[in-house]
Amino acid sequence: MAPWLEFPYEMKNITGEDDKILRKCLLGYKKPFVRCGEKGISTHIPEIAVELIKINFFNLGNFQGLNEAVKEKSWKTLEKAPSPRFIKTHLPLSLLPPNLLSTAKVVYVARDPRDVAVSYYYLYKMTNKSLLRANVTHFWEAFRRDLLPWTPIVEHANEAYEKRHHPNLHFVFYENMKKDLHTEIGKVCKFLNKDYTDAQIDRLAEHLSFDSLRKNKNVNNTTTKDSEIQFIRKGEAGGWRSHFDEKMQLQAEEFLLTRLAGLELSYPSFPTHEITKL
């Protein structure tokens, strides 16, 4: 195996206000808790940051559902997997091998951060129920302050967006897939140098529709019968509106305006004509 690369983010202590928010959000929370720099993941201790990187991959070539996937450390599964491998990760490009785009094809899916926060909340309820004390409001507060793993979310997406013209990276918005899955599948086919007929793409679009994925036990392999706590839950674009009160909506607009300032990145679901005057 190649030697471990130097961890790319500086470890920083959280503020007193951050500490209060985390106590509202997580059961059993106690210091030390560090933030990995201005553009990094947050975790309880630095050693866990490295472990988080090591386990945060799924081999989709033999994916049997989330419950099965977590039984073995995924980096071990990947070591044993034959090539070509289909790998899923939530890590930003800066926490992946620096030669990644020279050796692999990468499809990056970005989503409205407001919907990401809601989806992330329910995923946390499913996988870390014993650790979560937060309601959606508390979780959003931690999310927008970059106190949860895989945040800050806009910077995460922007790392990939800046490389969107690289021949080995395909950048796609979740909202565009919801709007026209057939067209987006065609773009991915072209990116992967695959040629399929319209009829084949239609069948694939049906197979990949949200209703089909929800019924697919190899994908939506969850132990709870609660419809709100499922790996494949609702898959909506704009579902955050039913979870955010007026204060949270204004916070989210300010969050997006601030984080997107000076960037070429913009989200299809955050057009300027919908922005409330703050």
Side-chain angles (χ1 to χ4, degrees):
M1 290 183 60
W4 282 106
L5 297 172
E6 182 179 353
F7 194 67
Y9 296 116
E10 177 186 359
M11 299 293 184
K12 295 186 177 182
N13 291 327
I14 62 170
T15 66
E17 184 65 23
D18 290 339
D19 182 69
K20 292 179 182 178
I21 291 168
L22 284 166
R23 290 184 186 280
K24 291 180 180 179
C25 194
L26 301 176
L27 286 169
Y29 158 73
K30 58 183 179 180
K31 289 185 177 179
F33 192 101
V34 296
R35 177 185 285 123
C36 302
E38 294 300 323
K39 292 187 177 181
I41 52 178
S42 301
T43 187
H44 284 93
I45 55 176
E47 290 79 6
I48 295 180
V50 176
E51 288 301 310
L52 179 63
I53 293 172
K54 289 166 65 178
I55 67 173
N56 192 43
F57 298 91
F58 288 141
N59 177 20
L60 298 185
N62 189 33
F63 187 70
Q64 297 297 319
L66 188 63
N67 292 336
E68 292 297 319
V70 297
K71 289 182 179 179
E72 182 178 6
K73 289 186 177 181
S74 52
W75 64 273
K76 289 186 176 181
T77 303
L78 292 178
E79 282 188 331
K80 296 182 291 185
S83 183
R85 295 174 293 179
F86 299 87
I87 303 169
K88 176 183 177 181
T89 180
H90 290 293
L91 294 175
L93 288 179
S94 55
L95 288 180
L96 296 172
N99 64 339
L100 178 68
L101 294 181
S102 299
T103 59
K105 292 275 192 178
V106 176
V107 177
Y108 186 99
V109 181
R111 189 180 186 184
D112 186 315
R114 296 166 292 189
D115 278 328
V116 172
V118 173
S119 179
Y120 194 3
Y121 169 72
Y122 283 106
L123 179 65
Y124 229 97
K125 287 187 71 173
M126 183 184 76
T127 60
N128 297 288
K129 190 175 182 179
S130 62
L131 299 177
L132 185 68
R133 75 162 84 230
N135 56 28
V136 174
T137 302
H138 293 150
F139 196 85
W140 161 250
E141 192 64 30
F143 181 88
R144 76 185 184 97
R145 290 173 179 262
D146 307 329
L147 293 174
L148 298 172
W150 308 300
T151 60
I153 193 65
V154 172
E155 288 83 347
H156 191 310
N158 190 57
E159 284 186 11
Y161 193 76
E162 287 181 337
K163 298 182 183 298
R164 65 192 182 281
H165 299 305
H166 192 289
N168 281 340
L169 187 138
H170 179 68
F171 190 99
V172 59
F173 286 106
Y174 181 86
E175 292 77 13
N176 289 342
M177 290 195 295
K178 292 292 294 183
K179 183 179 180 180
D180 188 350
L181 183 57
H182 187 286
T183 295
E184 295 303 323
I185 289 175
K187 292 178 181 178
V188 173
C189 289
K190 182 178 180 180
F191 171 67
L192 297 176
N193 299 316
K194 300 295 182 180
D195 188 19
Y196 294 106
T197 66
D198 285 343
Q200 288 175 314
I201 292 178
D202 284 340
R203 289 199 298 272
L204 184 56
E206 175 60 28
H207 177 69
L208 295 176
S209 69
F210 190 81
D211 287 341
S212 293
L213 291 178
R214 192 177 178 88
K215 296 173 184 176
N216 188 334
K217 297 301 182 182
N218 281 340
V219 178
N220 194 28
N221 185 1
T222 49
T223 57
T224 176
K225 294 182 179 180
D226 187 339
S227 62
E228 287 294 325
I229 308 177
Q230 299 282 325
F231 186 58
I232 303 295
R233 195 176 63 88
K234 290 189 175 181
E236 297 174 334
W240 61 269
R241 290 184 175 86
S242 63
H243 292 78
F244 281 32
D245 59 24
E246 184 177 356
K247 179 181 178 181
M248 293 167 68
Q249 290 184 34
L250 291 174
Q251 287 176 338
E253 288 184 5
E254 183 178 19
F255 169 83
L256 285 169
L257 285 171
T258 301
R259 297 301 178 92
L260 291 170
L263 303 181
E264 292 186 22
L265 171 67
S266 63
Y267 294 91
S269 51
F270 192 65
T272 55
H273 68 270
E274 285 189 5
I275 298 176
T276 304
K277 186 176 181 180
L278 299 173

